[in-house]
Amino acid sequence: MLSGSDTGIGHALAKHLDSLGFVVFAGVLDKDGPGAQELRQSCSPRLCVLQLDITSTTQVKEAYLTISEQVQNAGLWGLVNNAGILGFPADGELLPMSTYRHCMEVNFFGAVQVSKTFLPLLRKSRGRLVNMSSMAGGIPLPRYAAYGASKAALSMFSGVMRQELSKWGIKVAAIHPSGFRTGIQGTAEQWDEQEQELLASLAAETRSAYGEEYLLGLRSYLVQLPSHCAPDLSPVLAAVLHALLATRPRGLYTPGKGAYIPLFIFCCFPLWFYDFF
């Protein structure tokens, strides 16, 4: 079962797993949306599209009941917590509290709720729990205070669960991809709404300290972001597949060109050197 299958990594992963012969339960935010419709049309009858807003306790429980009826005593082999949001990338002081709360609600609390709900099915199969974190969840990156904090919480949750669930044979992995071009970057309409909320929440003193030119430049950074992201998702798909199938999966995967380098520098060098880097 995987969440966030409407677009991006989740969408590609659902198709990839289906092509390999897996029985896939693809959770989507909108079961009538274009992403869900495309999965139904392009994938085999084995793939089951489920309405799943991971912030909705009701929808998570309904998905659990649906899957439980189908797998019964065999249990569920793999759970991939992929659903997530980016938010508007901006300096931590500038981000409204609503952005922090929204990122935590989806990226952390939603994943925790899904994990806790489905663990009984993973316990039956001695299966796998895979959490899609981010490079920003392992190292501090400017303009990602809200997103990075929520993904760091998810990564820590993964580590603790890896230790605690080992007694049942459940293996847990966290994926820390570098920049990939996915649906998480959002749409122009979403950017407009979040930018307006950000600017409206700023105190006059803060606005003056940063300057209008800098504030207006935040949008250009967001517009250019996809051009710095890799379009080929295959390294992430391969990492998830290894986490699901390997006899001894790694606890942490860093797919993407150079994703491990900043993490290595952050862990092994003085902080002043990392900040300079």
Side-chain angles (χ1 to χ4, degrees), residues 147-165:
Y147 176 74
S150 65
K151 289 297 190 179
L154 180 61
S155 295
M156 182 58 71
F157 173 75
S158 299
V160 174
M161 290 295 102
R162 186 180 67 250
Q163 296 170 345
E164 294 178 350
L165 299 177

Side-chain angles (χ1 to χ4, degrees), residues 57 60-61 64 112-121:
T57 302
V60 172
K61 287 182 178 178
Y64 172 78
V112 171
Q113 177 172 233
V114 172
S115 300
K116 284 168 60 66
T117 301
F118 282 88
L119 275 175
L121 295 182

Side-chain angles (χ1 to χ4, degrees), residues 52-127:
L52 182 60
D53 177 350
I54 63 171
T55 66
S56 167
T57 302
T58 301
Q59 290 189 19
V60 172
K61 287 182 178 178
E62 288 175 350
Y64 172 78
L65 292 174
T66 299
I67 294 174
S68 295
E69 289 175 1
Q70 295 200 37
V71 301
Q72 297 185 0
N73 290 330
L76 180 70
W77 175 253
L79 169 62
V80 182
N81 283 310
N82 168 76
I85 59 167
L86 176 64
F88 193 92
D91 300 59
E93 182 183 7
L94 302 177
L95 291 172
M97 286 305 299
S98 60
T99 298
Y100 285 95
R101 293 189 180 98
H102 195 197
C103 281
M104 289 298 294
E105 188 65 32
V106 177
N107 298 343
F108 179 59
F109 292 125
V112 171
Q113 177 172 233
V114 172
S115 300
K116 284 168 60 66
T117 301
F118 282 88
L119 275 175
L121 295 182
L122 294 181
R123 190 175 287 112
K124 287 182 179 180
S125 66
R126 299 169 67 88

Side-chain angles (χ1 to χ4, degrees), residues 18-69:
D18 178 73
S19 71
L20 295 175
F22 284 81
V23 175
V24 180
F25 300 98
V28 295
L29 187 60
D30 182 4
K31 64 180 178 62
D32 298 318
Q37 296 287 6
E38 215 239 310
L39 287 178
R40 293 189 185 97
Q41 293 169 6
S42 62
C43 294
S44 74
R46 289 187 308 273
L47 185 138
C48 176
V49 174
L50 298 173
Q51 174 62 43
L52 182 60
D53 177 350
I54 63 171
T55 66
S56 167
T57 302
T58 301
Q59 290 189 19
V60 172
K61 287 182 178 178
E62 288 175 350
Y64 172 78
L65 292 174
T66 299
I67 294 174
S68 295
E69 289 175 1

Side-chain angles (χ1 to χ4, degrees), residues 204-225:
E205 184 179 355
T206 305
R207 183 185 287 267
S208 175
Y210 281 84
E212 293 298 324
E213 183 178 352
Y214 181 83
L215 296 175
L216 294 175
L218 293 174
R219 165 58 75 91
S220 62
Y221 169 80
L222 187 56
V223 170
Q224 295 170 10
L225 187 59

Side-chain angles (χ1 to χ4, degrees), residues 121-181:
L121 295 182
L122 294 181
R123 190 175 287 112
K124 287 182 179 180
S125 66
R126 299 169 67 88
R128 308 292 170 87
L129 172 61
V130 182
N131 291 318
M132 190 66 65
S133 183
S134 167
M135 188 166 69
I139 56 175
L141 295 174
R143 296 186 177 177
Y144 292 99
Y147 176 74
S150 65
K151 289 297 190 179
L154 180 61
S155 295
M156 182 58 71
F157 173 75
S158 299
V160 174
M161 290 295 102
R162 186 180 67 250
Q163 296 170 345
E164 294 178 350
L165 299 177
S166 62
K167 55 177 160 289
W168 289 291
I170 299 174
K171 292 180 170 59
V172 183
I175 314 291
H176 281 204
S178 62
F180 286 90
R181 199 174 301 168

